[in-house]
Amino acid sequence: MFGFLALMRKAHRLHAADHELVVVFDGENAAARRAAAVPGYKANRAAADHTPITALPDVKRALDAAAVRWTEIDEIEGDDIIATATTSAVKAGRSVVCYSSDRDFYQLLLPAVTVLTPRRTVITAAEIHRRYRIHPCQWPDYRALTGDPADNIPGIRGIGPTTAATLLTDGWHLDQLRNSPRLRNPRCHPITHQWTELLAWRDAIRLRTDISLPDTLITGQPTAPLPRAAHLLDQLHLW
């Protein structure tokens, strides 16, 4: 809890002091929809240490004490809530900083959207193009081809980052690849054979922006400077 609260305070103070801070949690059955479409989705996480979950009620109490808004919607992944809120904020003319090491947020990158990792690396749309030779909006296509180990999505065997980027040259998406001369290379034949799976993987990686958000989640007002983690833990008698 101390680490979570201290990191949140530092990220807000150093990188988004003039922003509204919102924390989003996965719903208890958040992965169900994608798991139904992609067998094995996130199945590799079953053996992970889940004991930190026991601290969530106290984390939420601390957020309330710090006047930080948060939300959790059953059967909805936190990524989709953040994607929806981000899209809404950009349409309203606001800038957004997503604080996460989850690469799925790369697909949201725009001039007004950046991703800040816990290691304080700032990821921009230009950085994605430099690193991967694709545009952020192509991220779901790219990761469907290459795979996403974090979510147990295997990708197409034999298709690595270089080949995937080449196939998606000129801003192409998977839909444009079907029946394209770009797939004539023998190493690309598995793409045709696994086409249905490939599209399902892309849909699982693609973030939703149509989630119905609580009316009170976004106020449009900057969050006040946060109290120190130790102060919150003292206040809640958890220190």
Side-chain angles (χ1 to χ4, degrees):
M1 278 193 66
F2 180 89
F4 172 85
L5 296 171
L7 284 173
M8 180 179 66
R9 178 177 183 269
K10 187 172 184 178
H12 181 248
R13 179 169 55 87
L14 296 181
H15 299 279
D18 58 347
H19 284 50
E20 179 174 14
L21 181 62
V22 175
V23 176
V24 178
F25 300 96
D26 283 333
E28 185 174 350
N29 301 297
R33 186 183 71 88
R34 287 182 170 95
V38 178
Y41 176 73
K42 290 189 175 180
N44 54 331
R45 303 189 188 186
D49 179 11
H50 293 94
T51 53
I53 292 176
T54 60
L56 285 181
D58 287 332
V59 167
K60 293 168 183 175
R61 287 176 58 211
L63 292 174
D64 289 338
V68 173
R69 294 178 183 269
W70 60 270
T71 191
E72 177 182 328
I73 304 175
D74 189 36
E75 298 186 357
I76 301 296
E77 294 196 56
D79 295 3
D80 295 319
I81 299 174
I82 292 172
T84 299
T86 295
T87 301
S88 176
V90 171
K91 287 180 179 177
R94 299 196 296 272
S95 63
V96 178
V97 178
C98 294
Y99 184 66
S100 176
S101 58
D102 190 338
R103 295 184 181 185
D104 284 347
F105 288 124
Y106 290 177
Q107 63 195 274
L108 301 178
L109 290 170
L110 292 167
V113 181
T114 57
V115 170
L116 174 66
T117 74
R119 294 185 178 182
R120 290 188 286 173
T121 301
V122 178
I123 309 295
T124 64
E127 178 69 8
I128 293 303
H129 193 266
R130 185 188 70 79
R131 285 190 190 185
Y132 302 100
R133 298 194 296 119
I134 61 168
H135 301 290
C137 62
Q138 296 174 287
W139 186 255
D141 307 85
Y142 176 83
R143 290 292 267 184
L145 287 166
T146 61
D148 185 355
D151 288 341
N152 205 36
I153 292 176
I156 302 297
R157 185 173 182 177
I159 302 298
T162 300
T163 301
T166 300
L167 291 171
L168 299 174
T169 298
D170 300 324
W172 277 30
H173 295 279
L174 293 181
D175 312 86
Q176 295 162 281
L177 277 180
R178 189 73 184 266
N179 302 318
S180 165
R182 295 185 185 183
L183 297 183
R184 288 176 181 170
N185 188 317
R187 76 165 56 179
C188 295
H189 290 174
I191 294 176
T192 302
H193 297 151
Q194 294 181 266
W195 188 255
T196 300
E197 290 176 281
L198 187 63
L199 295 184
W201 297 336
R202 181 183 65 175
D203 288 345
I205 296 167
R206 184 180 282 160
L207 300 181
R208 295 176 59 187
T209 58
D210 61 347
I211 305 301
S212 181
L213 302 179
D215 293 337
T216 57
L217 181 62
I218 307 293
T219 68
Q221 300 300 315
T223 298
L226 300 177
R228 293 182 178 275
H231 174 78
L232 286 171
L233 294 177
D234 275 337
Q235 182 180 343
L236 298 173
H237 306 291
L238 295 171
W239 191 239

